Amino acid sequence: MSVPPSVCTGAAPSGTGAVTAASAAGPGANQPDPPGADQHAADQRSPGERGASRRGAVAGAAPGGDLTGRCRVLAEPEWRRRRSDHERRVDGWIRPHLARRRDGQRHPVQDFLFTYYSHRPAQLRRWHPGAGIVLAGADPAEFGERYVPVDGGATLATSPLLARRSDTVAWVRDLLVRTAGRPAQFGCFGLHEWAMVYRQTPEQLRHAAWPLRLSSADTDRVVADRGVRCSHFDAFRFFTEPARPLNVLQPTRERQPELEQPGCLHATMDLYKWAYKLSPLVGSDLVADCFALARQVREIDMRASPYDLSALGYRPIPIETPAGRAEYAAAQRAMAERAAPLRQRLIAACDHLLA
């Protein structure tokens, strides 16, 4: 099987059936994806179009000092099975959400990842193998305009994507590596959710359809008495104005790489964001794994919040009590342990893309 240049830059690790191909030149100096805010989609700008010629098949080193990459071949039965498994898995998440949306209903836990983050249900459901994978017997039209034909199949044209997203990949990698290298902190006790309702009237509450577990005065007293220890900017930016001075840190977007730490539930939840921002360069299996963990994190987040969601089947974690704080910290540790291998998989994917 011959593979044209420019399709295997940053390929996945080689395996059985791998074929060698020349890749495009190294990434150019582009603007990174605006980091952090959920409403930002991955940067699609291409200040200087770069990329190698796709003429012919090349084995070994390419002329002009191009890097070499490797493509791994997935047999047609295998990739069709993987795609079907992914779609079936994701359908279990998106179908209830879409049904609620059609009925004009909102679920404060299960709908959150579809409304807070910019990745739409249809995008989550679409399966991508990731960079450096040749799909034997595939028609590139079946996978979209970013895929190109190769002898006997199709593969993602990686180099044009890296020409636009290389700085994004590097920024995400740096954030993840720095986060992983810090000791996890478990002393925030989920008070960021309480700071988002501090001194609000019932009409101002974000989830006004659901009651608070405590009175407004008692809710405010918990925040004022305990203070807030939140390091995550995308939680802090939703604090009420009176709550912000109560936080021991004043996070900013620019300080995110220096403040993010692996014990933070929102940093764990954001692994889903970094995974889908790297898609289709990273495979959909990894995106879905990050989504699955983010769903569990959101449940803990809202169980520890000031809202009473017992009518939806969520038992509160009463962080205003010593027992509740101990329960929250234990759940936080468990999520951090589950997040660590996903973070490392994302770092490894970035390393391959930037190689």
Side-chain angles (χ1 to χ4, degrees):
M1 176 181 291
S2 60
V3 183
S6 87
V7 300
C8 289
T9 301
S14 59
T16 303
V19 293
T20 304
S23 72
N30 306 311
Q31 292 298 317
D33 184 38
D38 59 273
Q39 66 267 33
H40 293 305
D43 192 359
Q44 296 298 308
R45 291 170 291 179
S46 180
E49 183 61 29
R50 175 189 64 91
S53 167
R54 297 186 184 178
R55 296 190 302 270
V58 180
D66 286 354
L67 303 174
T68 59
R70 294 182 66 83
C71 280
R72 185 162 60 91
V73 180
L74 279 184
E76 185 170 357
E78 173 67 10
W79 68 256
R80 288 192 179 277
R81 181 191 63 79
R82 292 190 186 186
R83 183 174 66 176
S84 178
D85 288 348
H86 172 78
E87 292 172 349
R88 184 164 48 250
R89 181 188 191 189
V90 173
D91 281 344
W93 299 325
I94 67 175
R95 283 178 176 172
H97 164 71
L98 294 175
R100 284 189 297 271
R101 191 170 72 181
R102 285 192 300 268
D103 294 340
Q105 300 175 356
R106 294 183 180 181
H107 195 294
V109 178
Q110 296 179 14
D111 292 340
F112 176 78
L113 300 182
F114 297 111
T115 57
Y116 177 70
Y117 292 113
S118 62
H119 210 47
R120 303 277 68 86
Q123 293 173 303
L124 179 61
R125 190 179 190 272
R126 180 180 291 274
W127 181 77
H128 295 284
I133 306 294
V134 172
L135 303 175
D139 179 357
E142 188 177 356
F143 291 87
E145 62 183 9
R146 293 168 175 166
Y147 287 77
V148 294
V150 295
D151 288 353
T155 192
L156 180 70
T158 305
S159 294
L161 283 170
L162 281 176
R164 297 190 296 269
R165 298 196 195 176
S166 59
D167 284 357
T168 297
V169 176
W171 191 95
V172 170
R173 182 196 181 277
D174 178 68
L175 176 69
L176 297 175
V177 168
R178 293 172 72 174
T179 302
R182 296 191 180 98
Q185 304 295 321
F186 303 107
C188 73
F189 303 121
L191 278 159
H192 57 277
E193 289 289 341
W194 297 62
M196 296 178 192
V197 304
Y198 183 65
R199 294 188 181 177
Q200 284 190 332
T201 66
E203 296 75 24
Q204 293 174 314
L205 297 177
R206 184 177 303 275
H207 303 291
W210 302 98
L212 297 179
R213 292 192 292 105
L214 308 178
S215 68
S216 293
D218 287 343
T219 299
D220 292 347
R221 190 173 298 113
V222 171
V223 178
D225 289 351
R226 296 207 60 83
V228 190
R229 297 173 177 81
C230 180
S231 58
H232 189 74
F233 173 73
D234 282 315
F236 177 74
R237 67 190 178 97
F238 291 107
F239 285 16
T240 64
E241 287 296 332
R244 292 188 176 194
L246 301 178
N247 197 30
V248 296
L249 297 170
Q250 296 296 301
T252 63
R253 179 71 67 210
E254 293 72 23
R255 296 186 65 198
Q256 187 172 7
E258 71 179 81
L259 294 179
E260 205 86 313
Q261 56 93 8
C264 172
L265 285 184
H266 277 258
T268 292
M269 195 155 49
D270 272 0
L271 293 177
Y272 167 58
K273 173 169 63 176
W274 305 130
Y276 77 69
K277 283 184 178 292
L278 297 175
S279 178
L281 292 165
V282 303
S284 295
D285 292 347
L286 179 52
V287 178
D289 287 347
C290 291
F291 183 91
L293 183 58
R295 278 172 53 92
Q296 296 186 22
V297 169
R298 177 59 177 177
E299 180 176 329
I300 294 169
D301 210 29
M302 292 304 290
R303 287 177 58 205
S305 78
Y307 295 99
D308 184 357
L309 302 181
S310 56
L312 293 174
Y314 297 105
R315 180 182 59 82
I317 300 176
I319 57 92
E320 68 274 15
T321 69
R325 290 192 289 275
E327 182 181 0
Y328 181 86
Q332 199 176 15
R333 288 178 185 275
M335 292 298 102
E337 290 174 0
R338 294 193 59 189
L342 292 178
R343 187 176 286 109
Q344 290 303 320
R345 286 169 64 187
L346 284 169
I347 291 170
C350 291
D351 285 341
H352 286 299
L353 291 169
L354 296 170

